[in-house]
Amino acid sequence: MPMCTEQELLDFMRETAYKPMTYKELEKHFGIEDAFEFKTFLKLLTEMEQDGKILLTRTERYGVPERMNLLRGRIQTHPKGFAFLIPDDKEHPDLYIHANDLKGTMNGDIVLARVSAKNENGKLEGEIVRIIKRAVTQVVGLFHNHDSYGFVVPDDKRINKDIFIRGEGFKGAITGQKVVVNIITYPEGRSAAEGEIVEILGHKDDPGVDILSIIRKHGLPESFPGDVLEEADKAPDTITEDEIVQQGRRDLRSKVIVTIDGEDAKDLDDAVNVEGLPNGNYLLGVHIADVSYYVREKSKLDEEAYNRGCSVYLVDRVIPMLPHRLSNGICSLNPQVDRLTMSCEMEFEPGTMKLVRHDIFTSVIRTKERMTYTNVRKILNEEDPEVAERYADLVDTFKLMQELAMGLRGNRMKRGAIDFEFQEAKVIVDPQGKPVEIVKRERSIAEQIIEEFMLVANETVAEHFHWLKVPFIYRIHEEPSNEKLMTFMQFAGNFGYAVRGKGNTVHPRALQTLLEEIQGTKEETVLSTMMLRSMKQAKYDAESLGHFGLAAEYYSHFTSPIRRYPDLAIHRVMREVLENGGTLPDNRYDSLNARMPDIASQSSERERVAVDAERDTEKLKKAEFMLDKIGEEFTGIISGVTSFGMFIELENTVEGLIRLSDLTDDYYHFHELHMALIGERTSKIYRIGDEVKIRVARVNMSDHTIDFEMMDMKSRSGSRVSFVDARGPGGFDRKRKKRNAAGKFAGIGGGSGGGHNRGGRGGDRPSGKGERSGSGRPGQANQQGGQPGRVRHADESIIINDASQAQADDRTRSKRKRKPGAHKENLEARGSVEQIQVSPTPVVSPDSAGHAGGRPPRRKDGNGSNTSSNAGSNAGPNAGSGTASKETVSNGSSTSNGSSVSSGTSAPNGNSVSLGARPNNSNGSQGSNGSSSLFPAKRGKLDMWGLPRSGNYPKNADDGTDGTKPPRKGGGGGGGRVNRAPKPFTKAEASVPKPSGDKPRRNKKPKPEVKE
């Protein structure tokens, strides 16, 4: 044996004064002189270096990674390519790894990484330095034959590169078959991993292949090795009296003890009894199968159980941790047979439910009945006479159990335990594995009785052995992170609920109080879901760190040694402590203390694998169940909202996605703080907990996903105006397409498309240096009954969000001709519209109509209001006071871009046009559609392609802006810009437009005019 252990060596190297040493210097420091000890010491150094626990520098010196600015941890990859490093150091935050810095690592690999940067959010980023241990050695996927070579597309989406297969490695596989591949070489750079086929599972559509693929994907063992089964076969079928006497077990066979489990359970590892004591107290006995008596430490059975970690319950089968010979035989607490158990008896005061006494010991029991949840529920809730008569001698016992369980539950809730009540379901499959029904798991009084009894037994055992200060494994649930908890508290505040506490000082009682407050409300689902997501995952640990969710200071898993390895491990410790008078020998203490952290880590990891496999099979069968229901309609609840859509959960717990692109009645924005999708035009809100009607649209059996679509969803392009329709009263007018003296087409501009809480795009044509002109100031809803502030109208097709597309449309509009009229001189005098400058000092004509930039009103809208060529403009203070004309403004209002020009010249329709600057309204308000019109703009605001002339996506506080625009160089009337007085124009200037600095554009030959 070496003179130092691994832990002592690590502690020494982590000291501040330590400098990297050679193996000879370390040998001298630890005083190793014996040749055998020296050889063992070198072997220890090599193993630790291979595991990445220590590093060997270029100068042949040893040190720990953390002292060299390196982190050791496990890689968790994402299907999109990037990954996170989960450090071994629990105090260190996770490290984001960009896809380009993964260097061939795969999900689950143990690596050393270096912190390379910190992003703007304060999150750490890093890069892989060295791969210590590969986690993925086999891959399950779909085979594709390409004659001389092939590819396997992995089922695990976290492996985002296909596996290359050489022609000689096909092993008879054909396209469409599911195969298992051994990886020969791992991916490096752009080259894919290479593998060889070791097993052909069958065609992907063959019965049973789907579940088998998931089993192989997660590395779950289907059968037990031969030597393990041989050990299991040696286990006895019965218990002898000599065994009971020799071990000094307490005989409880005369007590009324029962098991309560589901109808299909076969591994019965817990039994209970309740008695009323003469002093009025309750006596609760929890008796757990003594599996550790048959599964000895370091045996083949023990090694296999350690590797499996737990039993896995899939939809159509169970993959047990122990062979059936044990789990369904001598270790199962079957009725009317003797079984060895570990017992915990607890005495409680009535009313307060205070634990006044407890005792933990080895025992032998004989259960009276194998009860099911259904029958216990019928006795207690439904008072079924037939069932009550059958179990007449046990009815009083069950009623006593109910009293005690409800008292324990009330006590647990009072101290602040959090109780989430989410529906679970079970998929029923036929013998061929086809899903035929989905039934909800009921959480009745029977389930609550067993739940409360197991919880209090686990707490009692954990506290007992914590104070004995022996090596143990605890079930811990750490407090939520400050960031997530504060986010949840802020989220709850949006619904008017306050959570008492601040940051990590929030007691779980405050969260449980909130759950009670929201019970039965519409927001119950959304708040309870968000609260659950703010929590950390429970796990196993060698230290007792408490259980936040249960508000328990001490908690362990003691009650299921048949299906959980941590329970089996602590049973061994419990027996040894009981046999040694409440303590452990020194050598045994050190041995167990060194092993417990490893058992806790392995058990937590295997638990996560089991949960993932169970979820995968459930998703698979739920997707298969919905295959023949495509096109059917259902009512569901929104269970999740994301930036790409929302998840809908049906009554049968099937969950599907409605993609954002399928919400065609509006453009929706994701608001993370409120976890909601908000419609841009309709202001319609979708958030967690809302009830919606959906239709099953698609089922993807490759990804096990279901797509829904909203019922009665109107297409956003359903009312699109065709090119021919656009020529009508609501479209453009060809007779107005005239070229002005500046050589540009004065086409019809955009409509009144102001955004919600934001002005419109202003001038719909590029100004000076390519910027858009016009007001971009925040607007308010029209208080006079107009359309709510929107970027576009209900009957318009889409909103132009892409800048390049918007500029292209602007150029199209700028080339259109304008009908000549009395105002032609004004247009010539001003040149192109984008050259208009606005004065901060208003020059207002009392009878002006408030038209923008010298442009005349083009037509009378269907609502009777004149609209200008520029969108999103402010109404002039004297809007609607124009002179009488052929096109009369029926409601006395007109739209503008915030300025009017006065020249005393009449427009063709008789309205006067002012070249003076028009000020904004004194209160800064704008019309709901960006103009002062009392009525909403009609369909005439479409261009020749049926697209709206105006409108960008309106920005809001969630986009990081308040809707205002900074001053922009070269643009007229940009939001917040100080307006300047217009430069006087002369006719001499008008004939030749001023150069704007842009490359001159060649005008196409104009089409012949259309005479009236």
Side-chain angles (χ1 to χ4, degrees), residues 157-187:
K157 302 306 177 186
R158 294 172 298 184
I159 304 175
N160 48 27
K161 289 186 178 179
D162 300 346
I163 312 298
F164 175 79
I165 308 294
R166 296 184 183 274
E168 58 270 20
F170 287 4
K171 305 291 178 64
I174 60 175
T175 298
Q177 286 185 328
K178 285 290 184 77
V179 298
V180 181
V181 176
N182 266 351
I183 296 182
I184 302 172
T185 60
Y186 288 88

PDB file of all heavy atoms in Angstrom, residues 157-187:
ATOM      1  N   LYS A 157     -30.204  13.002 -30.787  1.00  0.00           N
ATOM      2  CA  LYS A 157     -30.017  14.246 -31.530  1.00  0.00           C
ATOM      3  C   LYS A 157     -28.857  15.071 -30.995  1.00  0.00           C
ATOM      4  O   LYS A 157     -28.411  16.015 -31.644  1.00  0.00           O
ATOM      5  CB  LYS A 157     -31.303  15.081 -31.490  1.00  0.00           C
ATOM      6  CG  LYS A 157     -32.515  14.352 -32.065  1.00  0.00           C
ATOM      7  CD  LYS A 157     -32.256  13.842 -33.484  1.00  0.00           C
ATOM      8  CE  LYS A 157     -33.438  13.057 -34.015  1.00  0.00           C
ATOM      9  NZ  LYS A 157     -33.157  12.439 -35.330  1.00  0.00           N
ATOM     10  N   ARG A 158     -28.358  14.723 -29.810  1.00  0.00           N
ATOM     11  CA  ARG A 158     -27.204  15.445 -29.276  1.00  0.00           C
ATOM     12  C   ARG A 158     -25.916  15.046 -29.985  1.00  0.00           C
ATOM     13  O   ARG A 158     -24.905  15.715 -29.860  1.00  0.00           O
ATOM     14  CB  ARG A 158     -27.086  15.194 -27.769  1.00  0.00           C
ATOM     15  CG  ARG A 158     -28.237  15.783 -26.965  1.00  0.00           C
ATOM     16  CD  ARG A 158     -28.205  15.361 -25.525  1.00  0.00           C
ATOM     17  NE  ARG A 158     -28.350  13.921 -25.372  1.00  0.00           N
ATOM     18  CZ  ARG A 158     -28.430  13.293 -24.205  1.00  0.00           C
ATOM     19  NH1 ARG A 158     -28.378  13.989 -23.085  1.00  0.00           N
ATOM     20  NH2 ARG A 158     -28.575  11.989 -24.141  1.00  0.00           N
ATOM     21  N   ILE A 159     -25.967  13.940 -30.719  1.00  0.00           N
ATOM     22  CA  ILE A 159     -24.854  13.567 -31.604  1.00  0.00           C
ATOM     23  C   ILE A 159     -25.231  14.097 -32.984  1.00  0.00           C
ATOM     24  O   ILE A 159     -25.993  13.471 -33.718  1.00  0.00           O
ATOM     25  CB  ILE A 159     -24.636  12.040 -31.633  1.00  0.00           C
ATOM     26  CG1 ILE A 159     -24.415  11.514 -30.216  1.00  0.00           C
ATOM     27  CG2 ILE A 159     -23.467  11.670 -32.529  1.00  0.00           C
ATOM     28  CD1 ILE A 159     -24.319   9.996 -30.129  1.00  0.00           C
ATOM     29  N   ASN A 160     -24.730  15.273 -33.331  1.00  0.00           N
ATOM     30  CA  ASN A 160     -25.243  15.964 -34.512  1.00  0.00           C
ATOM     31  C   ASN A 160     -24.425  15.705 -35.772  1.00  0.00           C
ATOM     32  O   ASN A 160     -24.546  16.429 -36.739  1.00  0.00           O
ATOM     33  CB  ASN A 160     -25.338  17.476 -34.240  1.00  0.00           C
ATOM     34  CG  ASN A 160     -24.074  18.026 -33.619  1.00  0.00           C
ATOM     35  OD1 ASN A 160     -23.003  17.478 -33.840  1.00  0.00           O
ATOM     36  ND2 ASN A 160     -24.195  19.088 -32.848  1.00  0.00           N
ATOM     37  N   LYS A 161     -23.581  14.679 -35.745  1.00  0.00           N
ATOM     38  CA  LYS A 161     -22.867  14.282 -36.962  1.00  0.00           C
ATOM     39  C   LYS A 161     -23.104  12.803 -37.218  1.00  0.00           C
ATOM     40  O   LYS A 161     -23.064  11.988 -36.306  1.00  0.00           O
ATOM     41  CB  LYS A 161     -21.361  14.549 -36.818  1.00  0.00           C
ATOM     42  CG  LYS A 161     -20.995  16.026 -36.842  1.00  0.00           C
ATOM     43  CD  LYS A 161     -19.484  16.230 -36.856  1.00  0.00           C
ATOM     44  CE  LYS A 161     -19.126  17.708 -36.935  1.00  0.00           C
ATOM     45  NZ  LYS A 161     -17.658  17.921 -36.926  1.00  0.00           N
ATOM     46  N   ASP A 162     -23.367  12.480 -38.488  1.00  0.00           N
ATOM     47  CA  ASP A 162     -23.601  11.082 -38.850  1.00  0.00           C
ATOM     48  C   ASP A 162     -22.324  10.258 -38.682  1.00  0.00           C
ATOM     49  O   ASP A 162     -21.215  10.786 -38.707  1.00  0.00           O
ATOM     50  CB  ASP A 162     -24.095  10.987 -40.296  1.00  0.00           C
ATOM     51  CG  ASP A 162     -25.401  11.740 -40.500  1.00  0.00           C
ATOM     52  OD1 ASP A 162     -26.031  12.083 -39.489  1.00  0.00           O
ATOM     53  OD2 ASP A 162     -25.770  11.986 -41.662  1.00  0.00           O
ATOM     54  N   ILE A 163     -22.522   8.942 -38.535  1.00  0.00           N
ATOM     55  CA  ILE A 163     -21.405   8.011 -38.378  1.00  0.00           C
ATOM     56  C   ILE A 163     -21.112   7.366 -39.734  1.00  0.00           C
ATOM     57  O   ILE A 163     -22.003   6.764 -40.342  1.00  0.00           O
ATOM     58  CB  ILE A 163     -21.713   6.924 -37.325  1.00  0.00           C
ATOM     59  CG1 ILE A 163     -22.285   7.562 -36.045  1.00  0.00           C
ATOM     60  CG2 ILE A 163     -20.465   6.114 -37.024  1.00  0.00           C
ATOM     61  CD1 ILE A 163     -21.354   8.514 -35.353  1.00  0.00           C
ATOM     62  N   PHE A 164     -19.883   7.518 -40.191  1.00  0.00           N
ATOM     63  CA  PHE A 164     -19.477   6.972 -41.482  1.00  0.00           C
ATOM     64  C   PHE A 164     -19.193   5.479 -41.345  1.00  0.00           C
ATOM     65  O   PHE A 164     -18.518   5.037 -40.403  1.00  0.00           O
ATOM     66  CB  PHE A 164     -18.230   7.699 -41.971  1.00  0.00           C
ATOM     67  CG  PHE A 164     -17.649   7.150 -43.248  1.00  0.00           C
ATOM     68  CD1 PHE A 164     -18.224   7.471 -44.465  1.00  0.00           C
ATOM     69  CD2 PHE A 164     -16.544   6.313 -43.224  1.00  0.00           C
ATOM     70  CE1 PHE A 164     -17.694   6.970 -45.644  1.00  0.00           C
ATOM     71  CE2 PHE A 164     -16.013   5.811 -44.389  1.00  0.00           C
ATOM     72  CZ  PHE A 164     -16.593   6.138 -45.612  1.00  0.00           C
ATOM     73  N   ILE A 165     -19.703   4.690 -42.304  1.00  0.00           N
ATOM     74  CA  ILE A 165     -19.505   3.238 -42.300  1.00  0.00           C
ATOM     75  C   ILE A 165     -18.878   2.833 -43.628  1.00  0.00           C
ATOM     76  O   ILE A 165     -19.418   3.143 -44.700  1.00  0.00           O
ATOM     77  CB  ILE A 165     -20.839   2.470 -42.115  1.00  0.00           C
ATOM     78  CG1 ILE A 165     -21.610   2.998 -40.888  1.00  0.00           C
ATOM     79  CG2 ILE A 165     -20.588   0.977 -41.994  1.00  0.00           C
ATOM     80  CD1 ILE A 165     -20.940   2.743 -39.571  1.00  0.00           C
ATOM     81  N   ARG A 166     -17.759   2.162 -43.576  1.00  0.00           N
ATOM     82  CA  ARG A 166     -17.127   1.653 -44.799  1.00  0.00           C
ATOM     83  C   ARG A 166     -17.924   0.470 -45.341  1.00  0.00           C
ATOM     84  O   ARG A 166     -18.646  -0.199 -44.599  1.00  0.00           O
ATOM     85  CB  ARG A 166     -15.681   1.236 -44.525  1.00  0.00           C
ATOM     86  CG  ARG A 166     -14.794   2.401 -44.104  1.00  0.00           C
ATOM     87  CD  ARG A 166     -13.343   1.956 -43.946  1.00  0.00           C
ATOM     88  NE  ARG A 166     -12.513   3.062 -43.462  1.00  0.00           N
ATOM     89  CZ  ARG A 166     -11.949   3.970 -44.242  1.00  0.00           C
ATOM     90  NH1 ARG A 166     -12.113   3.867 -45.561  1.00  0.00           N
ATOM     91  NH2 ARG A 166     -11.221   4.934 -43.731  1.00  0.00           N
ATOM     92  N   GLY A 167     -17.765   0.206 -46.636  1.00  0.00           N
ATOM     93  CA  GLY A 167     -18.540  -0.841 -47.294  1.00  0.00           C
ATOM     94  C   GLY A 167     -18.385  -2.204 -46.660  1.00  0.00           C
ATOM     95  O   GLY A 167     -19.343  -2.962 -46.545  1.00  0.00           O
ATOM     96  N   GLU A 168     -17.167  -2.506 -46.192  1.00  0.00           N
ATOM     97  CA  GLU A 168     -16.942  -3.829 -45.615  1.00  0.00           C
ATOM     98  C   GLU A 168     -17.533  -3.965 -44.211  1.00  0.00           C
ATOM     99  O   GLU A 168     -17.534  -5.064 -43.637  1.00  0.00           O
ATOM    100  CB  GLU A 168     -15.434  -4.131 -45.558  1.00  0.00           C
ATOM    101  CG  GLU A 168     -14.599  -3.125 -44.775  1.00  0.00           C
ATOM    102  CD  GLU A 168     -14.090  -1.981 -45.623  1.00  0.00           C
ATOM    103  OE1 GLU A 168     -14.668  -1.749 -46.712  1.00  0.00           O
ATOM    104  OE2 GLU A 168     -13.126  -1.328 -45.194  1.00  0.00           O
ATOM    105  N   GLY A 169     -18.023  -2.852 -43.650  1.00  0.00           N
ATOM    106  CA  GLY A 169     -18.570  -2.910 -42.285  1.00  0.00           C
ATOM    107  C   GLY A 169     -20.078  -2.925 -42.237  1.00  0.00           C
ATOM    108  O   GLY A 169     -20.670  -2.706 -41.172  1.00  0.00           O
ATOM    109  N   PHE A 170     -20.754  -3.156 -43.374  1.00  0.00           N
ATOM    110  CA  PHE A 170     -22.219  -3.129 -43.397  1.00  0.00           C
ATOM    111  C   PHE A 170     -22.839  -4.276 -42.612  1.00  0.00           C
ATOM    112  O   PHE A 170     -23.905  -4.129 -42.033  1.00  0.00           O
ATOM    113  CB  PHE A 170     -22.728  -3.184 -44.834  1.00  0.00           C
ATOM    114  CG  PHE A 170     -22.542  -1.914 -45.609  1.00  0.00           C
ATOM    115  CD1 PHE A 170     -21.882  -0.831 -45.046  1.00  0.00           C
ATOM    116  CD2 PHE A 170     -23.040  -1.795 -46.899  1.00  0.00           C
ATOM    117  CE1 PHE A 170     -21.715   0.341 -45.761  1.00  0.00           C
ATOM    118  CE2 PHE A 170     -22.874  -0.627 -47.624  1.00  0.00           C
ATOM    119  CZ  PHE A 170     -22.198   0.435 -47.059  1.00  0.00           C
ATOM    120  N   LYS A 171     -22.224  -5.442 -42.634  1.00  0.00           N
ATOM    121  CA  LYS A 171     -22.718  -6.654 -41.948  1.00  0.00           C
ATOM    122  C   LYS A 171     -24.130  -7.027 -42.404  1.00  0.00           C
ATOM    123  O   LYS A 171     -24.943  -7.521 -41.621  1.00  0.00           O
ATOM    124  CB  LYS A 171     -22.705  -6.453 -40.425  1.00  0.00           C
ATOM    125  CG  LYS A 171     -21.353  -6.049 -39.849  1.00  0.00           C
ATOM    126  CD  LYS A 171     -20.356  -7.204 -39.953  1.00  0.00           C
ATOM    127  CE  LYS A 171     -18.977  -6.810 -39.427  1.00  0.00           C
ATOM    128  NZ  LYS A 171     -18.971  -6.501 -37.998  1.00  0.00           N
ATOM    129  N   GLY A 172     -24.453  -6.742 -43.669  1.00  0.00           N
ATOM    130  CA  GLY A 172     -25.750  -7.112 -44.217  1.00  0.00           C
ATOM    131  C   GLY A 172     -26.851  -6.103 -43.976  1.00  0.00           C
ATOM    132  O   GLY A 172     -28.009  -6.345 -44.335  1.00  0.00           O
ATOM    133  N   ALA A 173     -26.538  -4.962 -43.398  1.00  0.00           N
ATOM    134  CA  ALA A 173     -27.559  -3.949 -43.121  1.00  0.00           C
ATOM    135  C   ALA A 173     -28.029  -3.302 -44.420  1.00  0.00           C
ATOM    136  O   ALA A 173     -27.238  -3.132 -45.363  1.00  0.00           O
ATOM    137  CB  ALA A 173     -27.004  -2.890 -42.177  1.00  0.00           C
ATOM    138  N   ILE A 174     -29.305  -2.945 -44.458  1.00  0.00           N
ATOM    139  CA  ILE A 174     -29.866  -2.278 -45.627  1.00  0.00           C
ATOM    140  C   ILE A 174     -30.509  -0.954 -45.174  1.00  0.00           C
ATOM    141  O   ILE A 174     -30.772  -0.749 -43.987  1.00  0.00           O
ATOM    142  CB  ILE A 174     -30.916  -3.160 -46.345  1.00  0.00           C
ATOM    143  CG1 ILE A 174     -32.069  -3.498 -45.387  1.00  0.00           C
ATOM    144  CG2 ILE A 174     -30.273  -4.430 -46.891  1.00  0.00           C
ATOM    145  CD1 ILE A 174     -33.208  -4.253 -46.037  1.00  0.00           C
ATOM    146  N   THR A 175     -30.745  -0.095 -46.138  1.00  0.00           N
ATOM    147  CA  THR A 175     -31.334   1.218 -45.841  1.00  0.00           C
ATOM    148  C   THR A 175     -32.670   1.062 -45.135  1.00  0.00           C
ATOM    149  O   THR A 175     -33.506   0.254 -45.545  1.00  0.00           O
ATOM    150  CB  THR A 175     -31.521   2.012 -47.141  1.00  0.00           C
ATOM    151  OG1 THR A 175     -30.243   2.233 -47.747  1.00  0.00           O
ATOM    152  CG2 THR A 175     -32.176   3.362 -46.859  1.00  0.00           C
ATOM    153  N   GLY A 176     -32.847   1.858 -44.058  1.00  0.00           N
ATOM    154  CA  GLY A 176     -34.098   1.834 -43.307  1.00  0.00           C
ATOM    155  C   GLY A 176     -34.059   0.979 -42.061  1.00  0.00           C
ATOM    156  O   GLY A 176     -35.023   0.961 -41.299  1.00  0.00           O
ATOM    157  N   GLN A 177     -32.936   0.276 -41.849  1.00  0.00           N
ATOM    158  CA  GLN A 177     -32.831  -0.551 -40.654  1.00  0.00           C
ATOM    159  C   GLN A 177     -32.186   0.220 -39.502  1.00  0.00           C
ATOM    160  O   GLN A 177     -31.322   1.062 -39.718  1.00  0.00           O
ATOM    161  CB  GLN A 177     -32.015  -1.816 -40.935  1.00  0.00           C
ATOM    162  CG  GLN A 177     -32.757  -2.857 -41.767  1.00  0.00           C
ATOM    163  CD  GLN A 177     -31.958  -4.140 -41.916  1.00  0.00           C
ATOM    164  OE1 GLN A 177     -30.722  -4.120 -41.947  1.00  0.00           O
ATOM    165  NE2 GLN A 177     -32.650  -5.266 -42.031  1.00  0.00           N
ATOM    166  N   LYS A 178     -32.621  -0.114 -38.295  1.00  0.00           N
ATOM    167  CA  LYS A 178     -31.995   0.425 -37.094  1.00  0.00           C
ATOM    168  C   LYS A 178     -30.822  -0.491 -36.732  1.00  0.00           C
ATOM    169  O   LYS A 178     -30.971  -1.717 -36.676  1.00  0.00           O
ATOM    170  CB  LYS A 178     -32.992   0.479 -35.927  1.00  0.00           C
ATOM    171  CG  LYS A 178     -34.004   1.612 -36.035  1.00  0.00           C
ATOM    172  CD  LYS A 178     -33.322   2.965 -35.818  1.00  0.00           C
ATOM    173  CE  LYS A 178     -34.339   4.106 -35.834  1.00  0.00           C
ATOM    174  NZ  LYS A 178     -35.093   4.192 -34.579  1.00  0.00           N
ATOM    175  N   VAL A 179     -29.676   0.144 -36.495  1.00  0.00           N
ATOM    176  CA  VAL A 179     -28.467  -0.630 -36.218  1.00  0.00           C
ATOM    177  C   VAL A 179     -27.747  -0.063 -35.000  1.00  0.00           C
ATOM    178  O   VAL A 179     -27.970   1.083 -34.593  1.00  0.00           O
ATOM    179  CB  VAL A 179     -27.500  -0.619 -37.430  1.00  0.00           C
ATOM    180  CG1 VAL A 179     -28.142  -1.269 -38.646  1.00  0.00           C
ATOM    181  CG2 VAL A 179     -27.061   0.810 -37.752  1.00  0.00           C
ATOM    182  N   VAL A 180     -26.884  -0.884 -34.424  1.00  0.00           N
ATOM    183  CA  VAL A 180     -25.999  -0.454 -33.344  1.00  0.00           C
ATOM    184  C   VAL A 180     -24.586  -0.407 -33.913  1.00  0.00           C
ATOM    185  O   VAL A 180     -24.139  -1.357 -34.568  1.00  0.00           O
ATOM    186  CB  VAL A 180     -26.063  -1.420 -32.147  1.00  0.00           C
ATOM    187  CG1 VAL A 180     -25.156  -0.930 -31.018  1.00  0.00           C
ATOM    188  CG2 VAL A 180     -27.488  -1.558 -31.647  1.00  0.00           C
ATOM    189  N   VAL A 181     -23.894   0.711 -33.676  1.00  0.00           N
ATOM    190  CA  VAL A 181     -22.578   0.931 -34.268  1.00  0.00           C
ATOM    191  C   VAL A 181     -21.543   1.126 -33.166  1.00  0.00           C
ATOM    192  O   VAL A 181     -21.763   1.892 -32.216  1.00  0.00           O
ATOM    193  CB  VAL A 181     -22.603   2.187 -35.175  1.00  0.00           C
ATOM    194  CG1 VAL A 181     -21.221   2.495 -35.725  1.00  0.00           C
ATOM    195  CG2 VAL A 181     -23.588   1.995 -36.310  1.00  0.00           C
ATOM    196  N   ASN A 182     -20.434   0.414 -33.285  1.00  0.00           N
ATOM    197  CA  ASN A 182     -19.277   0.670 -32.428  1.00  0.00           C
ATOM    198  C   ASN A 182     -18.436   1.767 -33.071  1.00  0.00           C
ATOM    199  O   ASN A 182     -18.119   1.684 -34.266  1.00  0.00           O
ATOM    200  CB  ASN A 182     -18.420  -0.587 -32.267  1.00  0.00           C
ATOM    201  CG  ASN A 182     -18.796  -1.379 -31.028  1.00  0.00           C
ATOM    202  OD1 ASN A 182     -19.585  -0.908 -30.213  1.00  0.00           O
ATOM    203  ND2 ASN A 182     -18.258  -2.580 -30.899  1.00  0.00           N
ATOM    204  N   ILE A 183     -18.076   2.791 -32.302  1.00  0.00           N
ATOM    205  CA  ILE A 183     -17.266   3.874 -32.855  1.00  0.00           C
ATOM    206  C   ILE A 183     -15.797   3.450 -32.889  1.00  0.00           C
ATOM    207  O   ILE A 183     -15.233   3.048 -31.872  1.00  0.00           O
ATOM    208  CB  ILE A 183     -17.446   5.158 -32.030  1.00  0.00           C
ATOM    209  CG1 ILE A 183     -18.895   5.636 -32.127  1.00  0.00           C
ATOM    210  CG2 ILE A 183     -16.507   6.251 -32.510  1.00  0.00           C
ATOM    211  CD1 ILE A 183     -19.184   6.917 -31.404  1.00  0.00           C
ATOM    212  N   ILE A 184     -15.208   3.553 -34.080  1.00  0.00           N
ATOM    213  CA  ILE A 184     -13.783   3.203 -34.253  1.00  0.00           C
ATOM    214  C   ILE A 184     -12.932   4.444 -34.084  1.00  0.00           C
ATOM    215  O   ILE A 184     -11.947   4.442 -33.333  1.00  0.00           O
ATOM    216  CB  ILE A 184     -13.549   2.565 -35.645  1.00  0.00           C
ATOM    217  CG1 ILE A 184     -14.429   1.320 -35.814  1.00  0.00           C
ATOM    218  CG2 ILE A 184     -12.086   2.241 -35.850  1.00  0.00           C
ATOM    219  CD1 ILE A 184     -14.396   0.744 -37.217  1.00  0.00           C
ATOM    220  N   THR A 185     -13.273   5.499 -34.809  1.00  0.00           N
ATOM    221  CA  THR A 185     -12.558   6.773 -34.662  1.00  0.00           C
ATOM    222  C   THR A 185     -13.572   7.869 -34.386  1.00  0.00           C
ATOM    223  O   THR A 185     -14.660   7.877 -34.961  1.00  0.00           O
ATOM    224  CB  THR A 185     -11.762   7.120 -35.939  1.00  0.00           C
ATOM    225  OG1 THR A 185     -12.673   7.229 -37.049  1.00  0.00           O
ATOM    226  CG2 THR A 185     -10.711   6.059 -36.229  1.00  0.00           C
ATOM    227  N   TYR A 186     -13.211   8.793 -33.523  1.00  0.00           N
ATOM    228  CA  TYR A 186     -14.119   9.868 -33.113  1.00  0.00           C
ATOM    229  C   TYR A 186     -13.969  11.068 -34.046  1.00  0.00           C
ATOM    230  O   TYR A 186     -12.931  11.223 -34.712  1.00  0.00           O
ATOM    231  CB  TYR A 186     -13.850  10.254 -31.662  1.00  0.00           C
ATOM    232  CG  TYR A 186     -14.326   9.204 -30.692  1.00  0.00           C
ATOM    233  CD1 TYR A 186     -13.509   8.138 -30.315  1.00  0.00           C
ATOM    234  CD2 TYR A 186     -15.618   9.263 -30.177  1.00  0.00           C
ATOM    235  CE1 TYR A 186     -13.965   7.164 -29.437  1.00  0.00           C
ATOM    236  CE2 TYR A 186     -16.084   8.294 -29.302  1.00  0.00           C
ATOM    237  CZ  TYR A 186     -15.258   7.243 -28.940  1.00  0.00           C
ATOM    238  OH  TYR A 186     -15.720   6.279 -28.076  1.00  0.00           O
ATOM    239  N   PRO A 187     -14.987  11.925 -34.100  1.00  0.00           N
ATOM    240  CA  PRO A 187     -14.934  13.070 -35.021  1.00  0.00           C
ATOM    241  C   PRO A 187     -13.789  14.013 -34.677  1.00  0.00           C
ATOM    242  O   PRO A 187     -13.466  14.228 -33.504  1.00  0.00           O
ATOM    243  CB  PRO A 187     -16.298  13.758 -34.821  1.00  0.00           C
ATOM    244  CG  PRO A 187     -16.762  13.307 -33.479  1.00  0.00           C
ATOM    245  CD  PRO A 187     -16.223  11.930 -33.308  1.00  0.00           C
TER     246      PRO A 187
END
